[in-house]
Amino acid sequence: MDTMRDRFVTTTTELLDEDPRLAVVLAEISCDGFRAAARAHPGRVVNVGIREQLLIGAGAGMALTGMRPVIHTFASFLVERPFEQVKLDLGHQAAGAVLVSAGASYDWPAGGFTHMSPGDIALLDTLDGWTVHVPGHPDEAEALLRHAVVGEDRVYVRLSLQSNSLGRPVTGEGFLTVRRGSAGVVVAVGPMLDNVLAATEGLDVTVLYATTVRPFDADGLREAVGAGATADVVVVEPCLAGTSAGAAGDALVALPHRVLGLGVARAELRRYGRLEEHLTAHGLDPRGLRTRIDAFLRP
Amino acid sequence: MTDTPEAPVYGYDDLHRLMSLMTGDEKHGPAATSTLDALWVLYDRVLRVTPGTADAPGRDRFLLSKGHGPMAYYAVLAARGFFGEELLPGFGSYDSPLGHHPDRVLVPGAEIGSGSLGHGLPLAVGSVLGLRAQGLAGPRVWVLTGDAELDEGSNHEAIAYAGPAGLEQLHTVVIDNGSASYARPGGIAARFEAAGWSVRTVDGRDHGALYAAYTAPHPGRPHAVIARVAPKS
């Protein structure tokens, strides 16, 4: 199977053929994949070199002239390094763009912390007006990307090497109900779904699948917790633990509730190795999840 | 688009009166007047943009990157009829669209919001790329920066890219009032020249010299005009 990043390249190459407003802005990363597209559309596939501040500023400038830029590099260099450009060149200028990252939180553990970005979504949460997609499968990455390039708004698409075994019919809005139960709600974000389903096997919980996390589907969560007097909610994310806990709490403000936010620990792990080893270290493998969900639901 | 200018509301002699209507940002006073002549010559004789074409795809773009001390900018925009002078006395107040740093969403005629240094030049690079991608070779993009602002790394990125990329539609005017704490070895012009730009250095108060530098041909290369004014004391 191709990776989400592979699918990003093939899908965007097709979209460039279809939409004359579309442009791709790169900073060396993934340039090889876009070589044919650059030949077919000179001027609409731009590589600014290893210059991430310029990457965002140039993409925003293109948007100011009426183009729809798709801006891509690793998450650390797309969101964290040029964060003020994201805030001002896009947000403050009221310019739109589609930011597409690769690398996520632990895609390349052997590369170490310099290429990990567990805080990207939490950082974007300090800004207004961003739609955030976290696909859990290459098919979903394609669907969400096609959804994102339409319109003028600011969209972040977070791609990862971690993938669920099955793509689901995502629409770019709201959560999907994957399993129904009555003892609590577990929200699985993007590529965490398979592990969450394995971890909650036999538990009487509702499992919601979230690939579009901003805006947060508050109605969907309220519907899932049902008409009880209280609510217990677990959010399992492939990014910084607690990233969406505030949004879940806001959704349930009218109801006494508890929210457990599971995800990547804030403390730097300082380990290399493999993706699976990092999932285990952060308690995001099925066993680690089960232990913590059990402890939370049956205190 | 038409190149026929609309009748200007005021001339150069009105600018000081217009600027005197704005109070409350005296800290930025020297920064404001340092740009006055460079801005006036651009808007009066070079830029093909008017209130009537402020949204036209084929207009020239002017991006004020050095958003500190925007009184001269506001005065020139008012003089050119982008908005009425009755807005000027409200400068910096809650109900005014005119802040101590400009906001493109609020100021008629402003292409970008600025204040944080180092954003205009990358945005201008992108504007040229966007125009090019749409086959619009006519519009020129101008950006005004300060000399100390060039210390920002984002500007290094933009300068280093724009030269080799041959962004002929890109123009920068650098107001050099010697305000950088550590002057660039070889001077500002050398920085642009090394990156493959066309460069002119002129007296930033001399309207004729500014006009000649602004309009100097620079085929295949972006163009920088270093406008020297009295050092910031």
Side-chain angles (χ1 to χ4, degrees):
Chain A
M1 190 173 68
D2 58 353
T3 65
M4 292 187 200
R5 187 169 156 204
D6 295 333
R7 192 70 68 88
F8 158 63
V9 173
T10 53
T11 302
T12 307
T13 296
E14 287 174 30
L15 290 167
L16 281 164
D17 293 337
E18 298 163 14
D19 182 356
R21 281 177 68 239
L22 205 67
V24 174
V25 193
L26 304 167
E28 298 296 351
I29 304 301
S30 303
C31 268
D32 284 348
F34 282 105
R35 217 169 283 284
R39 275 194 300 271
H41 306 287
R44 288 202 287 129
V45 178
V46 175
N47 173 27
V48 299
I50 306 171
R51 299 185 177 94
E52 287 83 11
Q53 294 184 72
L54 180 62
L55 175 74
I56 303 294
M62 294 183 90
L64 291 177
T65 69
M67 304 290 289
R68 181 66 167 159
V70 175
I71 306 173
H72 166 74
T73 184
F74 292 139
S76 310
F77 314 134
L78 187 67
V79 177
E80 295 178 323
R81 188 199 296 254
F83 183 68
E84 198 199 50
Q85 275 71 20
V86 175
K87 172 187 158 193
L88 295 181
D89 297 355
L90 292 168
H92 182 55
Q93 307 301 340
V98 182
L99 303 190
V100 180
S101 73
S105 299
Y106 35 53
D107 276 8
W108 185 27
F113 193 64
T114 60
H115 285 61
M116 297 179 184
S117 185
D120 53 350
I121 298 173
L123 203 46
L124 281 179
D125 266 346
T126 65
L127 307 178
D128 182 42
W130 281 86
T131 295
V132 177
H133 298 307
V134 186
H137 187 277
D139 291 350
E140 297 169 4
E142 175 169 350
L144 294 169
L145 189 67
R146 288 182 181 278
H147 187 269
V149 297
V150 179
E152 309 285 340
D153 51 348
R154 291 183 285 284
V155 186
Y156 179 51
V157 185
R158 186 186 206 255
L159 307 181
S160 179
L161 286 174
Q162 191 186 2
S163 174
N164 302 310
S165 54
L166 179 72
R168 296 185 184 253
V170 299
T171 62
E173 287 158 28
F175 302 161
L176 297 175
T177 305
V178 179
R179 190 182 279 171
R180 284 194 187 277
S182 58
V185 175
V186 182
V187 181
V189 174
M192 296 314 304
L193 180 62
D194 277 2
N195 284 4
V196 166
L197 287 175
T200 57
E201 190 67 49
L203 289 183
D204 181 26
V205 295
T206 291
V207 175
L208 297 180
Y209 181 41
T211 52
T212 298
V213 292
R214 302 290 181 278
F216 190 84
D217 185 4
D219 290 339
L221 181 60
R222 279 193 292 266
E223 195 273 327
V225 302
T230 63
D232 292 330
V233 173
V234 183
V235 183
V236 183
E237 310 184 80
C239 52
L240 198 62
T243 296
S244 295
D250 288 346
L252 301 173
V253 71
L255 191 68
H257 64 270
R258 299 187 304 141
V259 176
L260 173 65
L262 300 181
V264 178
R266 189 174 294 267
E268 189 182 331
L269 192 55
R270 288 194 196 278
R271 294 281 188 169
Y272 297 105
R274 292 177 296 111
L275 193 155
E276 292 75 17
E277 292 170 311
H278 280 244
L279 284 170
T280 302
H282 291 296
L284 296 174
D285 60 331
R287 211 164 106 180
L289 289 172
R290 176 64 174 244
T291 304
R292 293 196 288 173
I293 292 169
D294 270 342
F296 175 73
L297 292 179
R298 295 167 193 157
Chain B
M1 70 181 270
T2 171
D3 285 346
T4 310
E6 292 159 32
V9 179
Y10 299 115
Y12 179 77
D13 292 342
D14 295 295
L15 293 178
H16 283 282
R17 182 185 65 78
L18 292 171
M19 287 182 68
S20 73
L21 296 174
M22 290 170 273
T23 56
D25 189 29
E26 284 74 11
K27 164 174 90 73
H28 281 150
T33 55
S34 69
T35 61
L36 186 63
D37 298 283
L39 281 168
W40 176 254
V41 174
L42 266 179
Y43 270 91
D44 188 45
R45 300 172 68 181
V46 177
L47 293 173
R48 294 171 299 188
V49 59
T50 68
T53 62
D55 295 317
R59 72 187 183 279
D60 284 349
R61 272 82 169 163
F62 173 77
L63 281 59
L64 183 76
S65 185
K66 196 186 79 67
H68 301 56
M71 289 96 89
Y73 182 49
Y74 292 153
V76 169
L77 287 175
R80 303 303 294 180
F82 287 90
F83 53 79
E85 70 166 272
E86 69 278 4
L87 291 182
L88 298 175
F91 179 55
S93 67
Y94 188 76
D95 292 321
S96 173
L98 308 182
H100 292 189
H101 301 125
D103 182 338
R104 72 178 289 268
V105 174
L106 301 178
V107 183
E111 296 282 359
I112 62 166
S114 55
S116 180
L117 298 175
H119 290 264
L121 203 43
L123 285 167
V125 165
S127 298
V128 170
L129 292 171
L131 292 166
R132 268 188 171 188
Q134 296 170 77
L136 293 167
R140 295 162 303 190
V141 179
W142 279 86
V143 56
L144 183 147
T145 74
D147 64 307
E149 183 182 0
L150 292 181
D151 290 348
E152 293 286 2
S154 53
N155 283 331
H156 291 231
E157 294 185 1
I159 293 165
Y161 169 79
L167 299 189
E168 183 182 315
Q169 286 166 267
L170 180 64
H171 303 74
T172 301
V173 53
V174 181
I175 304 298
D176 180 8
N177 63 350
S179 60
S181 292
Y182 298 96
R184 187 170 300 288
I188 294 167
R191 172 74 184 91
F192 284 94
E193 280 161 4
W197 289 53
S198 154
V199 187
R200 293 285 182 101
T201 300
V202 293
D203 176 348
R205 298 297 187 189
D206 182 332
H207 290 194
L210 282 166
Y211 178 75
Y214 286 163
T215 55
H218 51 93
R221 294 194 291 170
H223 185 53
V225 174
I226 319 300
R228 287 194 169 140
V229 297
K232 184 180 167 188
S233 53

